[in-house]
PDB file of all heavy atoms in Angstrom:
ATOM      1  N   LYS A 355     -59.870  22.115   7.420  1.00 94.00           N
ATOM      2  CA  LYS A 355     -61.036  21.712   8.220  1.00 94.00           C
ATOM      3  C   LYS A 355     -62.289  21.526   7.369  1.00 94.00           C
ATOM      4  O   LYS A 355     -63.206  20.806   7.754  1.00 94.00           O
ATOM      5  CB  LYS A 355     -61.305  22.782   9.290  1.00 94.00           C
ATOM      6  CG  LYS A 355     -60.233  22.790  10.373  1.00 94.00           C
ATOM      7  CD  LYS A 355     -60.481  23.897  11.369  1.00 94.00           C
ATOM      8  CE  LYS A 355     -59.219  24.183  12.169  1.00 94.00           C
ATOM      9  NZ  LYS A 355     -59.038  25.584  12.492  1.00 94.00           N
ATOM     10  N   HIS A 356     -62.328  22.197   6.212  1.00 93.00           N
ATOM     11  CA  HIS A 356     -63.559  22.240   5.428  1.00 93.00           C
ATOM     12  C   HIS A 356     -63.831  20.919   4.710  1.00 93.00           C
ATOM     13  O   HIS A 356     -62.939  20.319   4.126  1.00 93.00           O
ATOM     14  CB  HIS A 356     -63.446  23.369   4.389  1.00 93.00           C
ATOM     15  CG  HIS A 356     -64.725  23.644   3.701  1.00 93.00           C
ATOM     16  ND1 HIS A 356     -65.708  24.433   4.246  1.00 93.00           N
ATOM     17  CD2 HIS A 356     -65.201  23.197   2.514  1.00 93.00           C
ATOM     18  CE1 HIS A 356     -66.724  24.471   3.407  1.00 93.00           C
ATOM     19  NE2 HIS A 356     -66.449  23.721   2.354  1.00 93.00           N
ATOM     20  N   LYS A 357     -65.089  20.489   4.780  1.00 89.00           N
ATOM     21  CA  LYS A 357     -65.494  19.271   4.038  1.00 89.00           C
ATOM     22  C   LYS A 357     -66.248  19.736   2.790  1.00 89.00           C
ATOM     23  O   LYS A 357     -67.093  20.626   2.882  1.00 89.00           O
ATOM     24  CB  LYS A 357     -66.433  18.411   4.887  1.00 89.00           C
ATOM     25  CG  LYS A 357     -65.864  18.039   6.246  1.00 89.00           C
ATOM     26  CD  LYS A 357     -65.270  16.634   6.221  1.00 89.00           C
ATOM     27  CE  LYS A 357     -64.706  16.218   7.558  1.00 89.00           C
ATOM     28  NZ  LYS A 357     -63.533  16.926   8.030  1.00 89.00           N
ATOM     29  N   GLY A 358     -65.959  19.154   1.648  1.00 88.00           N
ATOM     30  CA  GLY A 358     -66.689  19.496   0.421  1.00 88.00           C
ATOM     31  C   GLY A 358     -66.070  20.665  -0.307  1.00 88.00           C
ATOM     32  O   GLY A 358     -64.991  21.143   0.031  1.00 88.00           O
ATOM     33  N   ASN A 359     -66.790  21.144  -1.331  1.00 88.00           N
ATOM     34  CA  ASN A 359     -66.250  22.221  -2.182  1.00 88.00           C
ATOM     35  C   ASN A 359     -66.316  23.569  -1.475  1.00 88.00           C
ATOM     36  O   ASN A 359     -67.177  23.814  -0.652  1.00 88.00           O
ATOM     37  CB  ASN A 359     -67.060  22.316  -3.476  1.00 88.00           C
ATOM     38  CG  ASN A 359     -66.804  21.107  -4.358  1.00 88.00           C
ATOM     39  OD1 ASN A 359     -65.792  20.431  -4.184  1.00 88.00           O
ATOM     40  ND2 ASN A 359     -67.739  20.826  -5.256  1.00 88.00           N
ATOM     41  N   ILE A 360     -65.396  24.416  -1.859  1.00 92.00           N
ATOM     42  CA  ILE A 360     -65.424  25.790  -1.328  1.00 92.00           C
ATOM     43  C   ILE A 360     -64.913  26.727  -2.429  1.00 92.00           C
ATOM     44  O   ILE A 360     -63.968  26.383  -3.150  1.00 92.00           O
ATOM     45  CB  ILE A 360     -64.590  25.912  -0.031  1.00 92.00           C
ATOM     46  CG1 ILE A 360     -64.833  27.261   0.639  1.00 92.00           C
ATOM     47  CG2 ILE A 360     -63.109  25.697  -0.273  1.00 92.00           C
ATOM     48  CD1 ILE A 360     -64.410  27.317   2.100  1.00 92.00           C
ATOM     49  N   SER A 361     -65.562  27.865  -2.586  1.00 93.00           N
ATOM     50  CA  SER A 361     -65.146  28.783  -3.654  1.00 93.00           C
ATOM     51  C   SER A 361     -64.263  29.892  -3.080  1.00 93.00           C
ATOM     52  O   SER A 361     -64.226  30.107  -1.866  1.00 93.00           O
ATOM     53  CB  SER A 361     -66.382  29.403  -4.313  1.00 93.00           C
ATOM     54  OG  SER A 361     -67.003  30.265  -3.374  1.00 93.00           O
ATOM     55  N   ILE A 362     -63.594  30.607  -3.995  1.00 94.00           N
ATOM     56  CA  ILE A 362     -62.761  31.744  -3.585  1.00 94.00           C
ATOM     57  C   ILE A 362     -63.635  32.780  -2.884  1.00 94.00           C
ATOM     58  O   ILE A 362     -63.248  33.372  -1.874  1.00 94.00           O
ATOM     59  CB  ILE A 362     -62.083  32.384  -4.819  1.00 94.00           C
ATOM     60  CG1 ILE A 362     -61.246  31.361  -5.577  1.00 94.00           C
ATOM     61  CG2 ILE A 362     -61.285  33.624  -4.453  1.00 94.00           C
ATOM     62  CD1 ILE A 362     -59.851  31.141  -5.114  1.00 94.00           C
ATOM     63  N   LYS A 363     -64.827  32.991  -3.424  1.00 95.00           N
ATOM     64  CA  LYS A 363     -65.741  33.989  -2.857  1.00 95.00           C
ATOM     65  C   LYS A 363     -66.088  33.623  -1.394  1.00 95.00           C
ATOM     66  O   LYS A 363     -66.083  34.482  -0.508  1.00 95.00           O
ATOM     67  CB  LYS A 363     -67.004  34.033  -3.741  1.00 95.00           C
ATOM     68  CG  LYS A 363     -68.194  34.775  -3.174  1.00 95.00           C
ATOM     69  CD  LYS A 363     -68.105  36.260  -3.514  1.00 95.00           C
ATOM     70  CE  LYS A 363     -69.316  37.070  -3.088  1.00 95.00           C
ATOM     71  NZ  LYS A 363     -69.624  37.090  -1.703  1.00 95.00           N
ATOM     72  N   GLU A 364     -66.345  32.318  -1.182  1.00 96.00           N
ATOM     73  CA  GLU A 364     -66.665  31.896   0.194  1.00 96.00           C
ATOM     74  C   GLU A 364     -65.465  32.099   1.129  1.00 96.00           C
ATOM     75  O   GLU A 364     -65.620  32.574   2.261  1.00 96.00           O
ATOM     76  CB  GLU A 364     -67.094  30.415   0.207  1.00 96.00           C
ATOM     77  CG  GLU A 364     -68.511  30.214  -0.312  1.00 96.00           C
ATOM     78  CD  GLU A 364     -68.800  28.752  -0.623  1.00 96.00           C
ATOM     79  OE1 GLU A 364     -67.953  28.075  -1.238  1.00 96.00           O
ATOM     80  OE2 GLU A 364     -69.900  28.302  -0.259  1.00 96.00           O
ATOM     81  N   LEU A 365     -64.283  31.782   0.615  1.00 97.00           N
ATOM     82  CA  LEU A 365     -63.074  31.992   1.431  1.00 97.00           C
ATOM     83  C   LEU A 365     -62.924  33.476   1.769  1.00 97.00           C
ATOM     84  O   LEU A 365     -62.575  33.847   2.889  1.00 97.00           O
ATOM     85  CB  LEU A 365     -61.833  31.515   0.673  1.00 97.00           C
ATOM     86  CG  LEU A 365     -61.548  30.015   0.664  1.00 97.00           C
ATOM     87  CD1 LEU A 365     -60.399  29.694  -0.287  1.00 97.00           C
ATOM     88  CD2 LEU A 365     -61.207  29.513   2.064  1.00 97.00           C
ATOM     89  N   SER A 366     -63.204  34.314   0.773  1.00 97.00           N
ATOM     90  CA  SER A 366     -63.084  35.755   0.968  1.00 97.00           C
ATOM     91  C   SER A 366     -64.089  36.255   2.012  1.00 97.00           C
ATOM     92  O   SER A 366     -63.751  37.046   2.895  1.00 97.00           O
ATOM     93  CB  SER A 366     -63.282  36.460  -0.381  1.00 97.00           C
ATOM     94  OG  SER A 366     -63.191  37.829  -0.238  1.00 97.00           O
ATOM     95  N   ASP A 367     -65.321  35.754   1.930  1.00 97.00           N
ATOM     96  CA  ASP A 367     -66.343  36.165   2.917  1.00 97.00           C
ATOM     97  C   ASP A 367     -65.952  35.739   4.332  1.00 97.00           C
ATOM     98  O   ASP A 367     -66.205  36.451   5.298  1.00 97.00           O
ATOM     99  CB  ASP A 367     -67.702  35.536   2.566  1.00 97.00           C
ATOM    100  CG  ASP A 367     -68.293  36.150   1.300  1.00 97.00           C
ATOM    101  OD1 ASP A 367     -67.819  37.245   0.912  1.00 97.00           O
ATOM    102  OD2 ASP A 367     -69.199  35.547   0.699  1.00 97.00           O
TER     103      ASP A 367
END
Side-chain angles (χ1 to χ4, degrees):
K355 290 177 198 144
H356 190 82
K357 305 262 181 293
N359 290 340
I360 190 162
S361 68
I362 303 274
K363 167 87 175 60
E364 284 166 316
L365 280 172
S366 179
D367 290 343

